[in-house]
Amino acid sequence: QVQFVESGGGKVQPGGSLRLSCTVPGFDLNYYAVGWFRQAPGREREVISCSSASDGSAFYADSVQGRFTISRDNAKSTVYLQMESLKPEDTARYYCAADTTHRRCTVPPRRYEYDYWGQGTQVTVSS
């Protein structure tokens, strides 16, 4: 069963930074757009970023635009999310998944087209 493994979460003060990683050993990411999602308690899972496999393009939700940067290393089957200037409202569990239909991120990414969800990694932004 293919499943992403997320890591890098933790507790950080407002204004701090974290780098999340998402890997799926042995899975070829060259054929898939990969998205980062997050879910806060009591809220729906939302897409925050996506990395295209086809042309290097990326998508960012308005809430993270200019603060978060997505990147990927296909040779390592890993996608990263660099998060800067973190805010308390960024507190959530963060997940990644692959778009099983597209190599290029749809705008906006459609959650129902994503699969291979991991267990997520918790990010808490608090003083």
Side-chain angles (χ1 to χ4, degrees), residues 13-61:
Q13 293 187 341
S17 303
L18 282 173
R19 188 195 195 202
L20 306 184
S21 298
C22 165
T23 187
V24 54
F27 189 72
D28 190 347
L29 290 181
N30 281 298
Y31 299 99
Y32 301 91
V34 176
W36 278 99
F37 299 74
R38 68 185 181 188
Q39 187 168 17
R43 301 190 66 177
E44 290 192 0
R45 192 169 298 187
E46 61 173 345
V47 60
I48 55 171
S49 187
C50 174
S51 168
S52 297
S54 56
D55 60 4
S57 62
F59 164 87
Y60 296 96

Side-chain angles (χ1 to χ4, degrees), residues 48-106:
I48 55 171
S49 187
C50 174
S51 168
S52 297
S54 56
D55 60 4
S57 62
F59 164 87
Y60 296 96
D62 290 344
S63 57
V64 305
Q65 178 75 47
R67 301 188 297 122
F68 291 10
T69 303
I70 193 169
S71 61
R72 62 196 290 157
D73 185 338
N74 287 338
K76 296 182 178 180
S77 298
T78 301
V79 178
Y80 305 96
L81 187 69
Q82 180 68 42
M83 307 188 296
E84 306 284 351
S85 303
L86 284 162
K87 305 175 181 179
E89 51 263 44
D90 294 318
T91 295
R93 193 161 189 87
Y94 285 68
Y95 302 85
C96 62
D99 185 333
T100 59
T101 306
H102 306 93
R103 294 186 66 201
R104 191 174 190 273
C105 299
T106 56

